[in-house]
């Protein structure tokens, strides 16, 4: 049975690390994918990155209308010129929302849970969520998009 994993909360150092490439999608990674999917749904998140559950590896899950989708070693290969502002929260930054400018459309490549290379085109909320989660793999958080003066005290450091 998949289990709900504890979430790393800012300023946990793992949230600022660049995550490592997943070399092999073994049993443990497959189990982690299921646990992360369950965790994301239980916490009502729209996405979750492995560093948020304490593993500094390049794996994210995003919520789609068909349920959780796992992206292993995701890479954004194309970004639309046009951007849009949207409100985002983050499970690692409780009770905080920020307006973040993101590319409206992206193309990405990733490996699925079976190790197959997949290309996707995303726009709107899905594009936003993928950009947010890929940021996590590079140690970037939504507070980095705001001016210092707009941040609550606890995030100013
Ligand atoms: Zn987040």
């Amino acid at each position: 049975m998949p289990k709900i994993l504890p979430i790393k909360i800012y300023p946990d150092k793992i949230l600022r690390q660049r995550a490592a490439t997943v070399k092999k999608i073994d049993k443990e990674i497959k189990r982690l994918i299921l646990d992360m999917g369950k965790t994301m749904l239980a916490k009502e998140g729209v996405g979750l990155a492995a560093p948020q559950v304490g593993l500094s590896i390049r794996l994210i899950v995003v919520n789609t209308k068909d349920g959780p989708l796992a992206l292993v070693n995701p890479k954004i290969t194309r970004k639309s010129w046009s951007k849009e502002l949207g409100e985002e929260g983050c499970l690692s930054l409780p009770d905080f929302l920020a307006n973040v400018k993101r590319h409206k459309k992206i193309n990405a490549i990733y490996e699925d849970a079976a190790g197959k290379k997949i290309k996707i085109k995303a726009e709107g909320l899905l594009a936003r969520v993928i950009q947010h989660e890929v940021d996590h793999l590079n140690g970037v958080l939504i507070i980095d998009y705001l001016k210092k003066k707009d941040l609550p005290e606890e995030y100013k450091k």
Side-chain angles (χ1 to χ4, degrees):
M1 277 288 281
K3 56 179 188 288
I4 297 171
L5 304 168
I7 303 279
K8 299 288 178 187
I9 302 294
Y10 180 89
D12 194 299
K13 283 196 179 70
I14 199 166
L15 298 171
R16 290 309 199 178
Q17 289 169 13
R18 190 185 155 80
T21 301
V22 176
K23 296 247 169 67
K24 189 168 173 276
I25 302 168
D26 56 17
K27 244 189 193 162
E28 266 148 58
I29 297 285
K30 284 180 184 169
R31 188 180 311 134
L32 177 64
I33 286 171
L34 295 177
D35 289 346
M36 282 176 61
K38 179 159 184 175
T39 305
M40 173 180 68
L41 296 180
K43 309 273 178 188
E44 291 174 16
V46 286
L48 186 66
Q52 293 182 278
V53 293
L55 285 136
S56 194
I57 57 170
R58 305 189 83 79
L59 162 63
I60 65 174
V61 292
V62 297
N63 202 0
T64 72
K65 59 179 188 324
D66 304 317
L69 173 71
L71 292 81
V72 180
N73 299 324
K75 201 174 164 196
I76 294 169
T77 53
R78 203 172 153 266
K79 297 167 178 169
S80 65
W81 181 80
S82 61
K83 293 183 172 182
E84 64 190 349
L85 265 181
E87 197 171 63
E88 295 181 21
C90 180
L91 293 173
S92 297
L93 300 161
D95 306 318
F96 179 71
L97 294 171
N99 277 309
V100 181
K101 223 179 224 180
R102 300 281 188 192
H103 300 279
K104 274 188 180 172
K105 296 180 183 177
I106 57 159
N107 291 0
I109 53 168
Y110 66 94
E111 290 157 51
D112 69 9
K116 192 173 164 228
K117 282 222 163 65
I118 312 273
K119 285 183 192 172
I120 70 165
K121 287 183 182 191
E123 58 180 82
L125 181 63
L126 183 60
R128 176 169 296 277
V129 174
I130 292 172
Q131 290 171 79
H132 177 122
E133 301 311 330
V134 169
D135 269 356
H136 273 300
L137 304 182
N138 297 321
V140 175
L141 299 169
I142 53 176
I143 50 176
D144 302 337
Y145 290 90
L146 301 186
K147 295 195 180 82
K148 220 172 184 181
K149 67 171 174 57
D150 297 328
L151 287 172
E153 275 314 311
E154 63 264 42
Y155 298 140
K156 273 185 178 161
K157 322 165 234 186

